[in-house]
Amino acid sequence: MDKNINSTEKKKVIFSGIQPSGNLTIGNYIGAVRNWIDLQNEYYCYFCVVDLHAITVRQVPADLRKRTKEVLAIYLAAGIDPEKNVMFVQSHVPAHAELAWVLNCYTMFGELSRMTQFKDKSRLHSDNINAGLFTYPVLMAADILLYQTDLVPTGQDQKQHIELARDIANRFNAVYSPTFVEPQPYIPKTTAKIMSLSDPTKKMSKSDFGGGSVGILDSRDDIIRKIKRAVTDSGSEVCYGEGKDGINNLLNIYTAFSGKTPEEAEKEFAGVGYGVFKEAVGETVADSLKEIQEKFKMYMDDKDFLDGLMEKNAEIAYSNARKTLSKVYRKVGFYHP
Ligand code: TYM
């Protein structure tokens, strides 16, 4: 397939990415990767492993290297087609860091201070509140704006960052002339925020090492056990409802993996207790992930394929990104003979 952006001019562009900063969870799968699979045929897609973002929190270098490959293998195993999409590693394309620097000068201190993820992460890593953590959303804006992205499919937690990217694009376009496409978030309601199994009022997260998160690579037994132990309310009816955070969450997980609608799921479990429902959710998740895990192993065993894919796709991404970067350099007044 020809991934030259010029030959696909009519297709709208998607950019999204995941940090290789921990074991990917079913939150990452449902909130991001699963939606990418549905969108990949309609859009020209960039799916990135955002390693530059990952070092805003201290990483063990060997683990970061390993996880970078793993995240790419998970994209492939989940069904992202390497022939159709540009799948690459952020640090392989220097234009991301280059544009981020320029955009830093068009982003206000006050705007970044309002980012809720910065506030949350500062609390979580109070011993390492580095400047990168603060300017993180600017690098994310650079990721998105470099490729003239129309749509950014993510979970709810990234909405504020995408809105900031829009504001930065608008500001730059107004100061100079139209340079960037203004990106739109793509955040479907039932996949927007998968909650922790141990506290369904909190987001499921890669950094939760307890029973609250189900990893994409978790064993069948672990998956079923964690879902069985998921915190739910004291009721007994399996249906969406206020105050039923745990059940709402399990229904969202179930619909994402089974492909059923919320109404179909409620009907299927009408009259059965929470125990039976949890067992069915566990089995469904474990069955779906089994297939992904088998393919994951196959990709991880083929180092040459993964390395070749990264290299080829970084070249494609860079060649497309350079067009935007040159435009930006010219507009701000950099002298390039
Ligand atoms: P990250 O690595 O934290 O998460 C990757 C993706 O998974 C989604 N997600 C969730 N969705 C639903 N429920 C959850 N519990 C859940 N947890 C995570 C996230 O919303 C995200 O879509 N800053 C981004 C990575 C990034 C990016 C970008 C994304 C860098 N540049 C440009 C889009 C476009 C992040 O930290 O994602």
Side-chain angles (χ1 to χ4, degrees):
M1 184 247 174
D2 182 6
K3 289 195 217 167
N4 183 333
I5 190 81
N6 295 325
S7 65
T8 51
E9 245 158 13
K10 281 188 209 84
K11 278 197 174 176
K12 292 207 167 199
V13 175
I14 276 183
F15 185 100
S16 201
I18 298 183
Q19 295 188 65
S21 53
N23 294 328
L24 296 207
T25 70
I26 56 170
N28 299 126
Y29 177 73
I30 299 171
V33 183
R34 223 205 83 98
N35 290 325
W36 304 351
I37 295 164
D38 294 338
L39 296 164
Q40 64 179 329
N41 293 321
E42 248 182 90
Y43 291 82
Y44 186 94
C45 301
Y46 296 89
F47 296 125
C48 193
V49 183
V50 291
D51 54 350
L52 296 177
H53 277 104
I55 61 162
T56 53
V57 169
R58 206 63 82 222
Q59 302 291 330
V60 175
D63 291 351
L64 180 60
R65 258 189 290 278
K66 180 165 159 272
R67 281 203 222 100
T68 299
K69 269 199 317 189
E70 284 179 355
V71 174
L72 194 71
I74 286 177
Y75 289 178
L76 291 161
I80 305 290
D81 184 342
E83 293 299 316
K84 281 191 190 145
N85 305 288
V86 186
M87 306 164 74
F88 69 106
V89 177
Q90 191 184 28
S91 69
H92 296 180
V93 179
H96 291 247
E98 292 173 292
L99 182 63
W101 173 254
V102 176
L103 297 184
N104 264 317
C105 305
Y106 296 82
T107 309
M108 299 303 133
F109 185 88
E111 286 177 307
L112 292 175
S113 309
R114 285 193 288 277
M115 295 291 117
T116 55
Q117 203 161 71
F118 170 68
K119 291 186 210 166
D120 291 347
K121 286 201 177 171
S122 303
R123 264 193 297 270
L124 212 61
H125 305 280
S126 55
D127 56 336
N128 182 24
I129 308 177
N130 59 74
L133 195 63
F134 188 63
T135 59
Y136 175 115
V138 184
L139 178 59
M140 183 162 157
D143 297 341
I144 296 168
L145 301 181
L146 259 184
Y147 300 98
Q148 306 296 347
T149 301
D150 296 286
L151 205 64
V152 188
T154 64
Q156 179 69 24
D157 58 345
Q158 299 305 317
K159 187 161 185 255
Q160 198 184 26
H161 293 160
I162 302 169
E163 280 163 0
L164 179 70
R166 277 176 71 84
D167 291 344
I168 298 172
N170 258 322
R171 183 171 304 140
F172 195 95
N173 290 348
V175 172
Y176 302 98
S177 54
T179 310
F180 298 120
V181 168
E182 283 172 38
Q184 299 283 348
Y186 176 91
I187 306 172
K189 199 162 152 265
T190 57
T191 63
K193 197 170 182 185
I194 298 304
M195 310 308 274
S196 161
L197 298 180
S198 51
D199 179 356
T201 61
K202 289 209 182 99
K203 190 186 77 166
M204 184 182 285
S205 139
K206 283 183 217 125
S207 49
D208 177 354
F209 304 111
S213 291
V214 173
I216 294 178
L217 302 176
D218 275 1
S219 71
R220 182 178 191 86
D221 284 354
D222 279 350
I223 297 168
I224 292 174
R225 184 178 43 81
K226 286 182 190 174
I227 293 179
K228 225 182 241 173
R229 289 194 190 154
V231 171
T232 44
D233 57 276
S234 57
S236 59
E237 213 181 317
V238 179
C239 61
Y240 283 94
E242 207 161 312
K244 291 168 73 78
D245 299 325
I247 291 294
N248 295 344
N249 190 39
L250 290 177
L251 277 167
N252 285 341
I253 293 172
Y254 182 72
T255 52
F257 280 100
S258 66
K260 294 183 181 155
T261 64
E263 296 74 31
E264 284 168 345
E266 282 179 335
K267 219 184 245 170
E268 184 178 347
F269 296 106
V272 310
Y274 286 177
V276 174
F277 170 56
K278 284 179 178 176
E279 212 152 297
V281 178
E283 297 277 342
T284 304
V285 174
D287 286 347
S288 313
L289 290 181
K290 180 169 179 261
E291 208 179 303
I292 295 176
Q293 290 172 358
E294 281 166 4
K295 289 193 185 142
F296 167 80
K297 194 175 170 319
M298 192 189 83
Y299 284 114
M300 284 303 282
D301 287 344
D302 197 346
K303 182 175 181 299
D304 289 347
F305 174 77
L306 282 184
D307 289 352
L309 183 74
M310 282 183 197
E311 195 183 331
K312 196 170 79 192
N313 282 253
E315 270 169 33
I316 298 168
Y318 193 43
S319 120
N320 293 340
R322 268 213 334 253
K323 293 179 190 133
T324 302
L325 193 65
S326 318
K327 228 198 283 185
V328 168
Y329 278 7
R330 192 159 25 84
K331 295 206 182 187
V332 299
F334 292 163
Y335 178 63
H336 284 237

Coordinates of all heavy atoms in Angstrom, one line a residue, residues 23-77:
N23 N 2.5 -1.6 31.9 CA 1.8 -2.6 31.2 C 0.4 -2.1 30.7 O -0.3 -1.6 31.5 CB 1.5 -3.8 32.1 CG 2.9 -4.5 32.4 OD1 3.8 -4.5 31.6 ND2 2.9 -5.1 33.6
L24 N 0.2 -2.2 29.4 CA -1.1 -1.6 28.9 C -2.3 -2.4 29.5 O -2.2 -3.6 29.7 CB -1.1 -1.8 27.4 CG -0.1 -1.0 26.5 CD1 -0.7 -0.7 25.1 CD2 0.4 0.2 27.1
T25 N -3.3 -1.6 29.8 CA -4.5 -2.1 30.4 C -5.7 -2.3 29.4 O -5.6 -1.7 28.3 CB -5.0 -1.2 31.6 OG1 -5.5 0.0 30.9 CG2 -3.8 -0.8 32.5
I26 N -6.7 -2.9 29.9 CA -7.9 -3.0 29.0 C -8.5 -1.6 28.9 O -9.3 -1.3 28.0 CB -9.0 -4.0 29.5 CG1 -9.4 -3.8 30.9 CG2 -8.4 -5.4 29.3 CD1 -10.6 -4.6 31.3
G27 N -8.1 -0.6 29.8 CA -8.6 0.8 29.6 C -7.9 1.4 28.3 O -8.6 2.0 27.5
N28 N -6.6 1.1 28.2 CA -6.0 1.6 26.9 C -6.5 0.9 25.7 O -6.7 1.5 24.7 CB -4.5 1.2 27.0 CG -3.7 1.9 28.1 OD1 -3.1 1.2 28.9 ND2 -3.9 3.2 28.3
Y29 N -6.9 -0.4 25.8 CA -7.4 -1.1 24.7 C -8.8 -0.6 24.3 O -9.1 -0.2 23.2 CB -7.5 -2.6 25.0 CG -8.1 -3.4 23.9 CD1 -7.4 -3.7 22.7 CD2 -9.4 -3.9 24.1 CE1 -8.0 -4.4 21.7 CE2 -10.0 -4.6 23.0 CZ -9.3 -4.9 21.9 OH -9.9 -5.6 20.9
I30 N -9.7 -0.5 25.3 CA -11.0 0.0 25.0 C -11.1 1.5 24.7 O -11.8 1.8 23.7 CB -12.0 -0.3 26.2 CG1 -12.0 -1.8 26.5 CG2 -13.4 0.2 26.0 CD1 -12.7 -2.2 27.8
G31 N -10.4 2.3 25.4 CA -10.4 3.7 25.2 C -9.7 4.1 23.9 O -10.1 5.1 23.3
A32 N -8.7 3.4 23.5 CA -7.9 3.8 22.3 C -7.9 2.7 21.2 O -8.6 2.8 20.2 CB -6.5 4.2 22.8
V33 N -7.1 1.7 21.4 CA -6.8 0.8 20.3 C -8.0 0.2 19.6 O -8.1 0.1 18.4 CB -5.9 -0.4 20.8 CG1 -5.5 -1.3 19.7 CG2 -4.6 0.2 21.5
R34 N -9.0 -0.2 20.4 CA -10.2 -0.8 19.8 C -10.9 0.2 18.8 O -11.4 -0.2 17.8 CB -11.2 -1.2 20.9 CG -11.8 -2.6 20.7 CD -13.1 -2.7 21.4 NE -14.1 -2.1 20.5 CZ -14.9 -2.8 19.7 NH1 -14.8 -4.1 19.7 NH2 -15.8 -2.2 19.0
N35 N -11.0 1.4 19.2 CA -11.6 2.4 18.4 C -10.7 2.6 17.1 O -11.3 2.9 16.0 CB -11.8 3.7 19.1 CG -12.9 3.6 20.1 OD1 -13.9 2.8 19.9 ND2 -12.8 4.3 21.3
W36 N -9.4 2.5 17.3 CA -8.5 2.7 16.1 C -8.8 1.7 15.0 O -8.8 1.9 13.9 CB -7.1 2.6 16.5 CG -6.6 3.5 17.5 CD1 -7.2 4.6 18.1 CD2 -5.3 3.5 18.2 NE1 -6.5 5.2 19.0 CE2 -5.3 4.5 19.1 CE3 -4.2 2.7 18.1 CZ2 -4.1 4.8 19.9 CZ3 -3.1 2.9 18.9 CH2 -3.1 4.0 19.8
I37 N -9.1 0.4 15.5 CA -9.3 -0.7 14.6 C -10.5 -0.4 13.7 O -10.5 -0.6 12.5 CB -9.5 -2.0 15.4 CG1 -8.2 -2.4 16.1 CG2 -10.0 -3.1 14.5 CD1 -8.4 -3.4 17.2
D38 N -11.6 0.2 14.4 CA -12.8 0.5 13.6 C -12.6 1.7 12.7 O -13.2 1.7 11.7 CB -13.9 0.9 14.6 CG -14.3 -0.3 15.5 OD1 -14.1 -1.4 15.1 OD2 -14.9 0.0 16.6
L39 N -11.6 2.6 13.0 CA -11.5 3.8 12.2 C -10.4 3.6 11.1 O -10.4 4.4 10.2 CB -11.1 4.9 13.1 CG -12.1 5.4 14.1 CD1 -11.5 6.3 15.2 CD2 -13.3 6.1 13.5
Q40 N -9.6 2.6 11.2 CA -8.4 2.5 10.3 C -8.7 2.4 8.8 O -7.9 2.8 8.0 CB -7.5 1.4 10.7 CG -8.1 0.0 10.5 CD -7.1 -1.1 10.9 OE1 -5.9 -1.0 10.8 NE2 -7.6 -2.2 11.4
N41 N -9.9 2.0 8.4 CA -10.2 1.8 7.0 C -10.7 3.2 6.4 O -10.5 3.4 5.2 CB -11.3 0.8 6.8 CG -10.8 -0.6 7.1 OD1 -9.6 -0.9 6.8 ND2 -11.6 -1.4 7.8
E42 N -11.2 4.0 7.2 CA -11.8 5.3 6.7 C -10.8 6.4 6.7 O -11.0 7.4 6.0 CB -12.9 5.7 7.7 CG -14.3 5.5 7.1 CD -15.3 6.0 8.2 OE1 -15.6 7.2 8.2 OE2 -15.7 5.2 9.0
Y43 N -9.8 6.3 7.5 CA -8.8 7.4 7.7 C -7.4 7.1 7.4 O -7.1 5.9 7.3 CB -8.9 7.9 9.2 CG -10.2 8.5 9.6 CD1 -11.3 7.8 10.0 CD2 -10.3 9.9 9.6 CE1 -12.5 8.3 10.4 CE2 -11.5 10.5 10.0 CZ -12.6 9.7 10.4 OH -13.8 10.3 10.8
Y44 N -6.6 8.1 7.1 CA -5.2 7.9 7.0 C -4.6 8.0 8.5 O -4.7 9.1 9.1 CB -4.6 9.0 6.1 CG -3.1 8.8 5.8 CD1 -2.7 8.2 4.7 CD2 -2.1 9.3 6.7 CE1 -1.3 8.0 4.4 CE2 -0.8 9.1 6.4 CZ -0.4 8.5 5.3 OH 0.9 8.3 5.0
C45 N -4.1 6.9 9.0 CA -3.9 6.9 10.5 C -2.4 6.8 10.8 O -1.6 6.1 10.2 CB -4.5 5.7 11.1 SG -6.3 5.7 10.9
Y46 N -2.0 7.6 11.8 CA -0.7 7.5 12.5 C -0.9 7.0 13.9 O -1.7 7.6 14.7 CB -0.1 8.9 12.6 CG 0.2 9.6 11.3 CD1 -0.7 10.4 10.7 CD2 1.5 9.4 10.7 CE1 -0.5 11.0 9.5 CE2 1.7 10.1 9.5 CZ 0.8 10.9 8.9 OH 1.0 11.5 7.7
F47 N -0.3 5.8 14.2 CA -0.4 5.3 15.5 C 1.0 5.2 16.1 O 1.8 4.5 15.6 CB -1.1 3.9 15.5 CG -2.6 4.0 15.0 CD1 -3.0 3.2 14.0 CD2 -3.5 4.8 15.6 CE1 -4.3 3.3 13.5 CE2 -4.8 4.9 15.2 CZ -5.2 4.1 14.2
C48 N 1.2 5.9 17.1 CA 2.5 6.2 17.6 C 2.8 5.6 19.0 O 1.8 5.5 19.8 CB 2.7 7.7 17.7 SG 4.3 8.3 17.9
V49 N 4.0 5.2 19.2 CA 4.4 4.8 20.6 C 5.2 6.0 21.1 O 6.3 6.3 20.6 CB 5.3 3.5 20.5 CG1 5.7 3.1 21.9 CG2 4.6 2.4 19.7
V50 N 4.6 6.7 22.1 CA 5.1 8.0 22.4 C 6.1 7.9 23.6 O 5.9 8.2 24.7 CB 4.0 9.0 22.8 CG1 3.2 9.4 21.5 CG2 3.0 8.5 23.8
D51 N 7.3 7.5 23.2 CA 8.4 7.3 24.2 C 8.9 8.6 24.8 O 9.4 8.6 25.9 CB 9.5 6.4 23.6 CG 10.1 6.9 22.3 OD1 9.6 7.9 21.7 OD2 11.2 6.4 21.9
L52 N 8.9 9.7 24.0 CA 9.3 11.0 24.5 C 8.5 11.4 25.7 O 9.0 11.9 26.7 CB 9.3 12.1 23.4 CG 10.2 11.9 22.2 CD1 9.9 13.1 21.2 CD2 11.6 11.9 22.5
H53 N 7.2 11.1 25.6 CA 6.3 11.5 26.7 C 6.6 10.6 27.9 O 6.4 11.1 29.0 CB 4.8 11.2 26.3 CG 4.2 12.4 25.5 ND1 4.0 12.3 24.1 CD2 3.8 13.6 25.9 CE1 3.5 13.5 23.7 NE2 3.3 14.2 24.8
A54 N 7.0 9.4 27.7 CA 7.1 8.4 28.8 C 8.2 8.9 29.8 O 8.1 8.6 31.0 CB 7.5 7.0 28.3
I55 N 9.3 9.6 29.3 CA 10.3 10.0 30.2 C 10.0 11.2 31.1 O 10.8 11.6 31.9 CB 11.7 10.2 29.5 CG1 11.7 11.3 28.5 CG2 12.2 8.9 28.9 CD1 13.0 11.8 28.2
T56 N 8.8 11.7 31.0 CA 8.4 12.8 32.0 C 8.2 12.2 33.4 O 8.2 12.9 34.3 CB 7.1 13.4 31.5 OG1 6.1 12.4 31.3 CG2 7.2 14.2 30.3
V57 N 8.1 10.8 33.4 CA 8.2 10.1 34.7 C 9.4 9.2 34.6 O 9.6 8.6 33.5 CB 6.9 9.3 34.8 CG1 7.0 8.3 36.0 CG2 5.7 10.2 35.0
R58 N 10.1 9.0 35.6 CA 11.4 8.3 35.6 C 11.1 6.8 35.1 O 10.2 6.2 35.6 CB 12.0 8.2 37.0 CG 13.5 8.0 37.0 CD 14.3 9.1 36.3 NE 14.6 10.3 37.1 CZ 14.5 11.5 36.7 NH1 14.2 11.8 35.4 NH2 14.8 12.5 37.5
Q59 N 11.9 6.4 34.1 CA 11.7 5.0 33.6 C 13.0 4.2 33.7 O 14.1 4.8 33.7 CB 11.4 5.0 32.1 CG 10.1 5.8 31.7 CD 8.8 5.2 32.2 OE1 8.8 4.0 32.3 NE2 7.8 6.0 32.4
V60 N 12.9 2.9 33.9 CA 14.1 2.1 33.9 C 14.4 1.9 32.4 O 13.6 1.4 31.6 CB 13.8 0.7 34.5 CG1 15.0 -0.2 34.4 CG2 13.4 0.9 36.0
P61 N 15.6 2.3 31.9 CA 15.9 2.3 30.5 C 15.6 1.0 29.8 O 15.0 0.9 28.7 CB 17.4 2.7 30.4 CG 17.6 3.5 31.6 CD 16.7 2.9 32.7
A62 N 16.1 -0.1 30.4 CA 15.9 -1.4 29.7 C 14.4 -1.8 29.6 O 13.9 -2.3 28.6 CB 16.6 -2.5 30.5
D63 N 13.6 -1.4 30.6 CA 12.2 -1.6 30.5 C 11.5 -0.8 29.5 O 10.6 -1.2 28.7 CB 11.5 -1.3 31.9 CG 11.9 -2.3 33.0 OD1 12.5 -3.3 32.7 OD2 11.6 -2.0 34.2
L64 N 12.0 0.5 29.4 CA 11.4 1.4 28.4 C 11.6 0.8 27.0 O 10.7 0.8 26.1 CB 12.0 2.8 28.5 CG 11.4 3.8 27.5 CD1 9.9 4.0 27.7 CD2 12.1 5.2 27.8
R65 N 12.9 0.4 26.7 CA 13.2 -0.2 25.4 C 12.3 -1.4 25.1 O 11.8 -1.5 24.0 CB 14.7 -0.7 25.4 CG 15.6 0.3 24.7 CD 17.0 -0.3 24.5 NE 17.7 -0.5 25.8 CZ 18.4 0.5 26.4 NH1 18.4 1.7 25.8 NH2 19.0 0.3 27.6
K66 N 12.1 -2.3 26.1 CA 11.3 -3.5 25.9 C 9.9 -3.1 25.7 O 9.2 -3.6 24.7 CB 11.5 -4.4 27.1 CG 10.7 -5.7 27.1 CD 11.3 -6.6 28.2 CE 10.3 -7.7 28.5 NZ 9.3 -7.3 29.5
R67 N 9.4 -2.2 26.5 CA 7.9 -1.9 26.3 C 7.6 -1.1 25.0 O 6.5 -1.2 24.5 CB 7.5 -1.0 27.5 CG 7.3 -1.8 28.7 CD 6.3 -1.1 29.7 NE 6.8 -1.2 31.0 CZ 7.5 -0.3 31.7 NH1 7.8 0.9 31.1 NH2 7.9 -0.5 32.9
T68 N 8.6 -0.4 24.5 CA 8.4 0.3 23.2 C 8.0 -0.7 22.2 O 7.1 -0.6 21.4 CB 9.6 1.1 22.9 OG1 9.9 2.0 23.9 CG2 9.5 1.8 21.6
K69 N 8.8 -1.8 22.1 CA 8.5 -2.9 21.2 C 7.2 -3.6 21.5 O 6.4 -3.9 20.6 CB 9.6 -3.9 21.2 CG 10.8 -3.7 20.3 CD 11.6 -4.9 20.0 CE 11.9 -5.7 21.2 NZ 12.9 -6.7 21.1
E70 N 7.0 -3.8 22.8 CA 5.7 -4.5 23.1 C 4.5 -3.7 22.7 O 3.5 -4.3 22.3 CB 5.7 -4.7 24.7 CG 6.6 -5.8 25.1 CD 6.6 -6.0 26.6 OE1 6.0 -5.2 27.4 OE2 7.3 -6.9 27.1
V71 N 4.5 -2.4 22.9 CA 3.3 -1.6 22.6 C 3.1 -1.7 21.0 O 1.9 -1.9 20.6 CB 3.5 -0.1 23.0 CG1 2.3 0.7 22.5 CG2 3.6 0.0 24.5
L72 N 4.1 -1.6 20.3 CA 3.9 -1.8 18.8 C 3.4 -3.2 18.5 O 2.4 -3.3 17.7 CB 5.3 -1.6 18.1 CG 5.2 -1.4 16.6 CD1 4.5 0.0 16.3 CD2 6.5 -1.5 15.9
A73 N 3.9 -4.2 19.2 CA 3.4 -5.6 19.0 C 1.9 -5.7 19.4 O 1.1 -6.4 18.8 CB 4.3 -6.6 19.7
I74 N 1.5 -5.0 20.4 CA 0.1 -5.0 20.9 C -0.8 -4.3 19.8 O -1.8 -4.8 19.5 CB 0.0 -4.3 22.2 CG1 0.5 -5.3 23.3 CG2 -1.5 -4.0 22.5 CD1 0.5 -4.7 24.7
Y75 N -0.3 -3.2 19.2 CA -1.1 -2.6 18.2 C -1.3 -3.6 17.0 O -2.5 -3.8 16.6 CB -0.3 -1.4 17.5 CG -0.1 -0.2 18.4 CD1 0.6 0.9 17.9 CD2 -0.7 0.0 19.6 CE1 0.8 2.1 18.6 CE2 -0.5 1.1 20.4 CZ 0.3 2.2 19.8 OH 0.4 3.3 20.6
L76 N -0.3 -4.3 16.7 CA -0.4 -5.3 15.5 C -1.3 -6.4 15.9 O -2.2 -6.8 15.2 CB 1.0 -5.8 15.2 CG 1.9 -4.8 14.5 CD1 3.4 -5.3 14.6 CD2 1.6 -4.6 13.1
A77 N -1.1 -6.9 17.1 CA -1.8 -8.1 17.6 C -3.3 -7.8 17.7 O -4.2 -8.6 17.5 CB -1.3 -8.6 18.9

